[in-house]
Amino acid sequence: MKEVNIKFSANGPVKIKIDGDKNIYKNVIFGTDGNSLDAKKTTVLCVCGKSKEQPYCDGIHKAVGFSSKNELDEEIIQRYDGKDINIIFNRSICAGAGNCVRNFPKIYKNASEDWIFPDNDNIEQVKNSVKSCPSGALAYEINQEIHQEKYNEIKINIIKNGPINVKGNVSIQVDKWSTNANREKFSLCRCGASRNKPFCDYTHASLKAKSYTF
């Protein structure tokens, strides 16, 4: 049995159950500053964005009529071919962390179209840029093969006003995985407004502009 099991309730919260050694609790963290989350054997987290006890569920999803249905009609996938390595970007699972543009400015330009340039840096830097993407929206391809990194350690990072970032070999069941999605690295929606539930699609950015807190 895997150490961490992630289970979604229909029109309700996500339950994270820890079955492994207690040492894994130290890798369940809250916020980008590394503050420890009060993890239990089963931790129930809000994904409707309305709980008054964030990041935990307080049952309000029933009152607000939260729907966990995936409403995405079509994925937005952009492909950028280089001489020796290609980069594929799935906008539908991008959580907007910005690691790519911020840390690899030669490869990624802050624009909506024609913004990725695989040949502007060496192959290792392209690989590193893809690895730095917490949502798995970026993938790289060599010799027509998509490469997916694996992880020996499990980490769950709850971003303030952002998604739940999951990294590692966890047990999770979803109705549909997005194209090229990494099963060991993905971002889960917490604002309740993503059209690609249970995954984050960066809708929370528009909610933050309204001083929305989750």
Side-chain angles (χ1 to χ4, degrees):
M1 180 178 293
K2 295 180 180 178
E3 292 176 314
V4 174
N5 294 269
I6 299 177
K7 185 176 181 181
F8 301 94
S9 304
N11 302 326
V14 59
K15 297 179 181 179
I16 300 177
K17 185 178 181 182
I18 300 175
D19 289 321
D21 187 274
K22 289 185 178 180
N23 287 330
I24 198 172
Y25 281 57
K26 66 183 179 182
N27 290 326
V28 181
I29 56 178
F30 172 58
T32 54
D33 57 0
N35 290 331
S36 296
L37 172 68
D38 184 19
K40 304 174 182 178
K41 266 292 185 180
T42 300
T43 303
V44 184
L45 299 177
C46 171
V47 292
C48 76
K50 304 293 187 180
S51 173
K52 302 297 184 182
E53 300 178 8
Q54 293 290 349
Y56 305 104
C57 172
D58 65 0
I60 199 171
H61 54 274
K62 298 178 181 178
V64 300
F66 170 70
S67 172
S68 58
K69 181 181 179 181
N70 185 303
E71 300 174 315
L72 185 67
D73 295 324
E74 184 178 1
E75 293 180 290
I76 302 173
I77 299 176
Q78 300 171 349
R79 180 185 178 92
Y80 299 87
D81 292 342
K83 182 180 178 181
D84 299 308
I85 189 169
N86 308 321
I87 298 176
I88 303 170
F89 173 59
N90 188 335
R91 177 66 185 83
S92 306
I93 52 174
C94 176
N99 293 351
C100 54
V101 174
R102 183 170 55 252
N103 299 324
F104 303 90
K106 291 182 180 180
I107 305 171
Y108 305 88
K109 309 298 180 181
N110 196 7
S112 58
E113 295 182 6
D114 294 329
W115 65 289
I116 301 178
F117 303 88
D119 290 337
N120 278 9
D121 213 329
N122 60 59
I123 291 179
E124 285 306 309
Q125 283 296 84
V126 171
K127 291 180 180 179
N128 289 336
S129 73
V130 171
K131 291 177 182 178
S132 75
C133 175
S135 68
L138 291 172
Y140 70 85
E141 179 186 69
I142 298 177
N143 297 326
Q144 298 182 327
E145 180 182 353
I146 300 291
H147 291 255
Q148 303 278 18
E149 61 265 45
K150 305 294 183 180
Y151 300 93
N152 295 323
E153 189 176 43
I154 296 173
K155 288 190 175 183
I156 299 174
N157 191 11
I158 304 175
I159 306 299
K160 183 178 180 180
N161 294 331
I164 304 170
N165 288 337
V166 180
K167 183 184 290 186
N169 188 13
V170 301
S171 174
I172 180 173
Q173 291 186 344
V174 296
D175 293 334
K176 181 181 180 181
W177 285 89
S178 299
T179 302
N180 298 328
N182 190 334
R183 267 63 166 181
E184 294 195 17
K185 184 178 69 173
F186 47 87
S187 297
L188 301 174
C189 173
R190 279 204 312 129
C191 72
S194 171
R195 296 188 61 82
N196 194 22
K197 295 186 187 75
F199 302 105
C200 172
D201 67 356
Y202 198 36
T203 298
H204 61 270
S206 62
L207 300 178
K208 284 196 293 184
K210 300 177 182 178
S211 299
Y212 197 86
T213 302
F214 53 91

